[in-house]
Amino acid sequence: MTTMEPQGGFSYSEVDFRRVQDIARREAGINLPISKRSLVFSRVSRRIRATGRASFRDYLDYVSGREGQEELKELICVLTTNVTQFFREKSHFEHLEEHVLPQLGEKLRAGGRGRLWSAACSTGQEPWSMAMSVMAELPDALRMDLKILATDINHAVVETGRIGQYPAEEVRSVPQRWQDAYMEPVEMEQVSMAREIRRLVTFRPLNLNREWPFKGQFDVIFCRNVVIYFDDETRNALWKRLADRLVPGGFLYVGHSERVDCVRDCHLEAVAPTIYMKKG
């Protein structure tokens, strides 16, 4: 058994790393390869210090017990990676605006309902981008039965998304006309999502690999750059669950480094790179 003693004062053994691996896989479906060993040390050490525990073993015993369940959520948060930006992977938003929203608008104006889901919303740039696309293509969206659900396993980034306030430099990828229409400048070089567009989006913490507390189906699901952290079994199980929640003719958008291998089992067909439509 090897033990690392990097700066920070905590010994860190192979057993410690394997325990973190097991927790990440069991609680969130996250697969931590051995190449992440140093990253795990750095991130988990912060939580050890924050909780005043004496060692990795002490900390991992704590989060594995009943009293440490709230801290277990914090551990999962520090093990997740949150990289996002407004209108990331722009071709998805172009497809949404050109091919999906016009048809969805017809359904809504006929009295139907529309639901979109940002299934791994991180700090909120993705669902707010979806909302801006919706408002631009469907100016009467707020008068119709249309909602966007934004979820993430990391409760801290969900709260950032809900607040909807970002450094001005982060919104440079947003067209100026949309900045003017859907954002408001606030103090200290910050911008905030405008009050009206906020009515479209609801933020909730959610573990994609646990039970989902809603029963409805969606016209659009964005689940991007998430399954790259899962093993094959967990990945395919999630694709099937997401496909089950799409209405016939609904669309699933995945990350540009991802693909759905089980399209037949999911009743999906690829209509463009990383864009899938539910058959039926």
Side-chain angles (χ1 to χ4, degrees):
M1 180 181 70
T2 57
T3 299
M4 298 170 54
E5 293 195 26
Q7 271 190 323
F10 301 113
S11 63
Y12 178 48
S13 71
E14 190 174 323
V15 170
D16 295 326
F17 176 66
R18 287 203 302 267
R19 289 186 69 186
V20 177
Q21 282 182 309
D22 290 343
I23 290 170
R25 185 179 298 111
R26 181 179 68 249
E27 297 296 327
I30 297 171
N31 181 40
L32 293 172
I34 190 64
S35 60
K36 301 291 186 182
R37 186 178 176 186
S38 293
L39 178 67
V40 165
F41 172 83
S42 174
R43 294 186 176 184
V44 178
S45 292
R46 294 201 298 267
R47 295 310 310 165
I48 297 175
R49 295 188 189 96
T51 56
R53 312 310 293 191
S55 65
F56 265 81
R57 179 178 178 178
D58 180 31
Y59 177 78
L60 296 174
D61 286 346
Y62 174 58
V63 299
S64 298
R66 181 177 299 178
E67 293 182 356
Q69 290 307 291
E70 288 303 313
E71 178 57 28
L72 178 60
K73 296 176 185 178
E74 300 297 333
L75 172 60
I76 297 303
C77 285
V78 300
L79 293 176
T80 56
T81 299
N82 298 284
V83 178
T84 187
Q85 64 187 55
F86 287 98
F87 296 99
R88 185 183 186 189
E89 301 176 5
K90 187 168 176 54
S91 63
H92 289 165
F93 294 94
E94 292 170 348
H95 182 271
L96 177 69
E97 294 160 17
E98 295 170 10
H99 299 284
V100 181
L101 292 176
Q103 293 185 17
L104 182 58
E106 292 180 8
K107 183 174 82 167
L108 291 165
R109 294 185 186 101
R113 68 194 291 273
R115 295 294 184 269
L116 293 77
W117 182 13
S118 171
C121 68
S122 187
T123 45
Q125 287 90 334
E126 178 178 276
W128 290 126
S129 297
M130 295 164 69
M132 285 186 277
S133 291
V134 166
M135 292 292 288
E137 295 300 317
L138 305 175
D140 51 349
L142 293 175
R143 296 195 295 273
M144 299 184 289
D145 187 5
L146 177 62
K147 299 293 181 184
I148 299 171
L149 175 65
T151 68
D152 199 281
I153 192 172
N154 186 327
H155 64 87
V157 298
V158 169
E159 181 62 12
T160 298
R162 187 193 64 77
I163 292 170
Q165 185 170 311
Y166 304 95
E169 63 184 23
E170 286 191 18
V171 308
R172 290 175 181 169
S173 58
V174 179
Q176 186 61 50
R177 68 185 186 281
W178 289 8
Q179 293 184 41
D180 296 340
Y182 310 125
M183 296 178 173
E184 301 171 343
V186 292
E187 59 185 13
M188 298 183 66
E189 298 297 316
Q190 298 274 314
V191 297
S192 176
M193 303 309 300
R195 179 179 300 179
E196 188 172 66
I197 200 171
R198 288 176 177 274
R199 292 164 52 192
L200 277 181
V201 188
T202 300
F203 286 86
R204 295 284 186 269
L206 180 72
N207 185 335
L208 289 174
N209 293 308
R210 295 290 177 85
E211 183 178 355
W212 300 344
F214 46 81
K215 304 298 182 185
Q217 290 184 300
F218 295 86
D219 300 274
V220 170
I221 299 176
F222 276 57
C223 187
R224 308 186 304 167
N225 308 303
V226 178
V227 302
I228 52 176
Y229 302 107
F230 299 161
D231 59 31
D232 289 344
E233 180 180 358
T234 304
R235 181 182 304 124
N236 289 333
L238 179 59
W239 291 144
K240 291 175 184 176
R241 293 182 73 194
L242 291 171
D244 285 344
R245 291 304 182 96
L246 281 173
V247 301
F251 290 88
L252 171 66
Y253 298 82
V254 308
H256 279 184
S257 63
E258 300 167 338
R259 68 177 185 178
V260 179
D261 292 318
C262 52
V263 287
R264 181 174 298 179
D265 292 341
C266 295
H267 304 289
L268 296 172
E269 63 176 315
V271 296
T274 65
I275 303 174
Y276 299 85
M277 184 178 73
K278 177 76 172 288
K279 295 179 181 179

